[in-house]
Amino acid sequence: MARFGDDNGEEDRLLRTDALPALRPSRVRVRLVVLSGPEAGQSYPLTPGRYRLGADPASDIVIADRAVSRSHLLLDVREDTIQAVDVGSRNGSFCEGMRFTTLDVRPGAVLTLGTTELKLVPEGEQSRAMPLSTRERFGNLVGTSRRMRELFTLLERLAQGESDVLIQGETGTGKELCAEALHTHGTRSKGPFVIVDLAGVAPQLLESELFGHVKGAFTGAQADRAGAFERAHGGTVFLDEVGELPLEVQPRLLRALERRQVKRVGANDYRAVDVRVVAATHQDLEGAVKAGRFRGDLFHRLAVLRATLPPLRERPEDIPLLIDTVLERMGKKPSALSDQTRALLTQYPWPGNVRELRNVVDRVVNLGESALPDLPEAPVRAARPAADLDPEDTLSLALELPFKEAKERLIEGFERDYLKTLLERCGGNVSKASREAGIDRVYLRKLLRKHGLASGPD
């Protein structure tokens, strides 16, 4: 037996080393970090050698997970590669959602054994592999996917701090819900939560909206008025679409952030404010800085801490839970949508993200399932073969077909896209592609011929 320590002197779990080759001094190049499951938070340094993973106490790395076989997985760690081999487990081994038998694993990949997720983290990047949150909700944000649980882990930590936060994400991903959740789960939850939609305020009124004004400061200023920063005193001010802030107003916002002081339009004196600032944008602010549309010093001040909301198309496994959540908030039962409709909603790429999904579910519940064809769709070009259709086009066609035929159409599209990407990644090498996909080479060739992707010999 041997015990390994990390660079901070903290000891890792015991690893059996009798199965390893000669334990010559070797630099640890990768760690196996347990993201979720009973062993969440554990970290194992991997030097060259073979490691048997399973529930058996005699395993090199013990995974105390009821869904993990006694002998589940073998990791063959070499100087330049890591090979993972499923050794006949009852529930299978998965990498990024795909089941495999033998797989060359890249650093950064996530392996799933039972309910346990394991990440291979390059040495020096341990801090990025935080254990996954066990939540399926954070405020009104909902999700059980790995992307969302990683986000919840980050938000749990951010909520307890006082530093300003920048939330990034596409339109419709839930940035306002994220900001509200940071407020309600933080130390300022008893204070006000004030929202300023910077994209919805006329440019000439932005300073007044943010910092207030005194009577007579401009035409229409008939009385003194406190701005958002003053109204949020003791709580949180949420600056939505901060990328829309005009350049001429940005220096005043920077001063408010740095000194926590604001001056009403037309006033002579500054007022101290005690607020936490959470800003959000769907824009590339770093690109806006390079283009001269946004001040670099303001960007760095806003982005002391950052959180990015993933688009819905990157977490489709959350769609069923999101549908049920929308129905629950409408006072409807899950049975309000048929299994066929749910299947089609799960396949759609959702360019409008969660907001679009919510609107579609609302429409279908109120107007009936005949409203499904009203989903946003790309124009369908005549005389285009199905193999050349975009995903949006494929779904648009599928929605007008009987369920069985629609399902087959969507599955064929998935197979074709997956195989094309797989072959590109493997440089056209079918043997390598077979190992990566975890499927028999003969069956893989059959699929390639089916989709017109077959090539010459390996």
Side-chain angles (χ1 to χ4, degrees):
M1 305 283 283
R3 188 182 294 273
F4 296 87
D6 62 18
D7 295 338
N8 297 321
E10 297 176 358
E11 296 185 15
D12 289 291
R13 300 266 323 257
L14 285 173
L15 300 183
R16 288 175 51 86
T17 57
D18 51 342
L20 303 181
L23 284 175
R24 61 187 184 283
S26 180
R27 178 175 174 271
V28 178
R29 297 180 179 176
V30 69
R31 287 176 179 268
L32 187 70
V33 178
V34 185
L35 297 179
S36 65
E39 310 293 320
Q42 299 295 343
S43 172
Y44 304 92
L46 302 182
T47 56
R50 304 183 76 189
Y51 300 82
R52 189 168 292 276
L53 285 67
D56 189 337
S59 299
D60 301 316
I61 298 178
V62 179
I63 308 294
D65 182 335
R66 291 184 178 181
V68 169
S69 300
R70 288 178 61 83
S71 182
H72 197 114
L73 187 74
L74 182 68
L75 284 180
D76 187 2
V77 181
R78 305 167 189 169
E79 290 290 345
D80 55 348
T81 62
I82 301 174
Q83 188 177 72
V85 181
D86 185 278
V87 288
S89 67
R90 65 180 182 275
N91 291 325
S93 300
F94 298 81
C95 180
E96 307 295 352
M98 299 298 296
R99 187 168 184 166
F100 67 88
T101 301
T102 301
L103 182 68
D104 288 333
V105 186
R106 300 182 301 275
V110 175
L111 305 177
T112 303
L113 315 182
T115 63
T116 296
E117 291 179 300
L118 309 162
K119 185 171 185 176
L120 290 160
V121 181
E123 186 67 11
E125 297 186 17
Q126 300 96 315
S127 62
R128 294 174 57 187
M130 298 182 290
L132 295 182
S133 172
T134 58
R135 296 174 181 267
E136 65 175 34
R137 298 172 185 267
F138 188 80
N140 286 319
L141 294 174
V142 176
T144 56
S145 63
R146 181 165 58 87
R147 293 290 301 276
M148 290 304 289
R149 286 186 291 144
E150 286 177 346
L151 176 66
F152 293 164
T153 298
L154 175 62
L155 296 180
E156 287 166 3
R157 299 186 179 188
L158 296 184
Q160 300 308 310
E162 285 289 315
S163 297
D164 298 335
V165 179
L166 177 64
I167 302 171
Q168 296 172 295
E170 295 178 6
T171 299
T173 50
K175 296 185 290 294
E176 182 177 326
L177 298 180
C178 183
E180 188 175 8
L182 286 174
H183 173 74
T184 56
H185 285 79
T187 57
R188 294 175 173 268
S189 58
K190 295 183 179 178
F193 178 69
V194 177
I195 301 171
V196 185
D197 179 7
L198 297 176
V201 179
Q204 63 271 24
L205 297 178
L206 273 172
E207 286 193 56
S208 172
E209 183 63 32
L210 290 170
F211 312 121
H213 62 255
V214 298
K215 181 179 179 180
F218 51 83
T219 303
Q222 299 177 357
D224 290 356
R225 181 177 184 271
F229 274 76
E230 286 186 64
R231 300 198 305 274
H233 185 79
T236 303
V237 60
F238 173 50
L239 306 179
D240 196 12
E241 295 302 344
V242 71
E244 300 291 340
L245 193 66
L247 271 171
E248 59 270 20
V249 183
Q250 292 178 22
R252 293 201 62 184
L253 177 59
L254 179 61
R255 179 186 177 92
L257 294 174
E258 290 181 336
R259 301 193 181 186
R260 290 310 196 254
Q261 293 179 339
V262 298
K263 184 171 67 172
R264 295 182 178 182
V265 177
N268 296 319
D269 300 321
Y270 282 91
R271 300 169 182 244
V273 290
D274 173 25
V275 296
R276 186 183 195 184
V277 177
V278 178
T281 182
H282 73 280
Q283 298 184 22
D284 174 15
L285 284 191
E286 290 172 291
V289 170
K290 292 177 182 177
R293 298 192 306 273
F294 204 85
R295 291 178 60 114
D297 48 4
L298 176 57
F299 167 73
H300 292 297
R301 189 64 186 80
L302 284 168
V304 175
L305 299 171
R306 280 195 261 185
T308 301
L309 295 178
L312 187 54
R313 63 182 175 276
E314 294 182 5
R315 54 184 188 105
E317 60 268 45
D318 287 334
I319 291 177
L321 177 59
L322 287 166
I323 291 173
D324 288 341
T325 301
V326 173
L327 292 174
E328 179 185 341
R329 291 172 183 170
M330 295 175 65
K332 303 292 184 180
K333 296 181 179 179
S335 57
L337 291 183
S338 68
D339 291 342
Q340 292 92 332
T341 296
R342 286 173 176 269
L344 290 175
L345 293 180
T346 302
Q347 297 291 337
Y348 187 64
W350 297 110
N353 292 295
V354 180
R355 181 182 300 158
E356 183 186 15
L357 172 64
R358 183 183 66 233
N359 292 340
V360 169
V361 171
D362 185 284
R363 185 184 311 145
V364 171
V365 169
N366 286 288
L367 300 180
E369 299 193 354
S370 61
L372 266 176
D374 292 334
L375 282 169
E377 58 187 55
V380 179
R381 299 170 182 82
R384 276 180 70 187
D388 293 333
L389 287 174
D390 294 331
E392 291 89 347
D393 295 339
T394 304
L395 180 73
S396 299
L397 289 176
L399 289 172
E400 299 175 8
L401 299 172
F403 175 70
K404 183 177 179 181
E405 188 176 347
K407 180 181 177 182
E408 291 173 353
R409 177 75 61 88
L410 292 168
I411 290 175
E412 284 186 2
F414 163 76
E415 285 183 355
R416 183 181 63 256
D417 293 341
Y418 176 85
L419 293 171
K420 288 175 65 175
T421 302
L422 178 68
L423 283 179
E424 290 173 2
R425 189 167 68 242
C426 297
N429 187 313
V430 176
S431 295
K432 183 178 180 182
S434 171
R435 290 194 299 271
E436 281 211 16
I439 58 179
D440 183 82
R441 188 173 62 178
V442 175
Y443 180 62
L444 175 59
R445 283 197 170 280
K446 180 179 178 181
L447 288 175
L448 293 174
R449 286 194 297 270
K450 172 185 173 182
H451 294 286
L453 301 172
S455 56
D458 292 0

